Amino acid sequence: MAGLTRIAVLLSGRGSNLVALAEACARGEVPAEIALVISNRADAPGLDRARERGIPVAAIPGKGVAREEHERLVADAIEEARAQWVCLAGYMRLLSPAFVARFPQRIVNIHPALLPSFPGLEAQRQAWAHGAKVSGCTVHLVDAGCDSGPIVVQRTVPVLDDDTPETLAARILEQEHIAYPAALRMLLTRAWRLEGRRVIFD
Ligand code: GRF
């Protein structure tokens, strides 16, 4: 279909954010089509979520492969699929500066905390254990750091006294499924620029 931006989604696991993005595209809320889903794990359930929707998939195992070589294979697959944007959705590998430079300001990630608090793994548990009263999710542009790029959208949730890391994660996940399509829609449909670290929409 003309006018749709081609997107590659990279994931390592469940794929619920992939589903949220795919459904938002199918509803016409995001003017994009998911051209390819890539996983570094051949057994990622997210690949099945893609197949169910007729989205092309590629498993490019990372184990036992040098990072440079693995990233080259992933970047080549993205370019072969003619994807202009890359959405990380639970992709459990840090991208090198060389990979990030291949898709400048065209890689987006979702993180289950209000960055810059609680970057890295198990962010929901980190926020819960720290005693934060509010947490949420962040959609950000990807730079060469870990969860450190410019923020596009954040959504908040309360942390309740009787929460467990799991109940908090479930509350955050609901907001992730709203935030990711919303951020992508904004990036694709509105004029925006970076002022320092700040993503400014006109
Ligand atoms: C989400 O919590 C996302 O914020 C984090 O990894 C998780 C992926 O979940 N980066 P899913 O595979 O999209 O269900």
Side-chain angles (χ1 to χ4, degrees):
M1 275 180 279
L4 296 180
T5 301
R6 293 172 70 80
I7 304 255
V9 175
L10 274 52
L11 54 77
S12 303
R14 179 174 59 181
S16 71
N17 279 287
L18 161 70
V19 170
L21 288 173
E23 288 182 348
C25 291
R27 287 194 299 266
E29 290 165 13
V30 179
E33 70 178 305
I34 301 176
L36 181 64
V37 173
I38 300 174
S39 179
N40 60 315
R41 297 185 51 124
D43 60 352
L47 289 179
D48 293 326
R49 302 291 83 74
R51 290 188 190 101
E52 288 161 10
R53 287 167 176 77
I55 301 170
V57 303
I60 305 179
K63 238 184 176 170
V65 184
R67 179 161 92 156
E68 201 176 88
E69 170 66 1
H70 183 256
E71 287 192 343
R72 193 182 59 72
L73 295 171
V74 171
D76 287 350
I78 292 168
E79 284 178 356
E80 240 165 72
R82 290 178 291 112
Q84 299 124 297
W85 282 76
V86 178
C87 292
L88 308 182
Y91 189 60
M92 301 303 283
R93 289 178 69 104
L94 198 60
L95 299 171
S96 71
F99 185 96
V100 173
R102 237 171 118 161
F103 306 95
Q105 290 176 25
R106 293 289 181 276
I107 310 176
V108 193
N109 182 43
I110 185 152
H111 183 74
L114 296 175
L115 294 171
S117 291
F118 313 121
L121 294 175
E122 295 201 31
Q124 307 96 325
R125 178 179 291 276
Q126 289 186 52
W128 173 85
H130 191 86
K133 298 299 186 193
V134 181
S135 191
C137 62
T138 303
V139 182
H140 64 94
L141 299 173
V142 171
D143 63 14
C146 176
D147 301 322
S148 59
I151 293 168
V152 182
V153 163
Q154 293 185 304
R155 292 182 67 91
T156 60
V157 303
V159 183
L160 306 178
D161 289 347
D162 60 357
D163 263 334
T164 63
E166 291 73 27
T167 59
L168 176 59
R171 191 175 307 117
I172 292 171
L173 192 64
E174 285 178 16
Q175 298 306 313
E176 293 184 38
H177 296 161
I178 298 169
Y180 214 167
L184 199 54
R185 179 188 166 84
M186 288 166 71
L187 289 167
L188 296 182
T189 61
R190 292 172 60 180
W192 59 274
R193 65 187 187 280
L194 276 180
E195 282 183 9
R197 292 189 41 88
R198 301 166 68 230
V199 180
I200 307 293
F201 286 91
D202 293 334

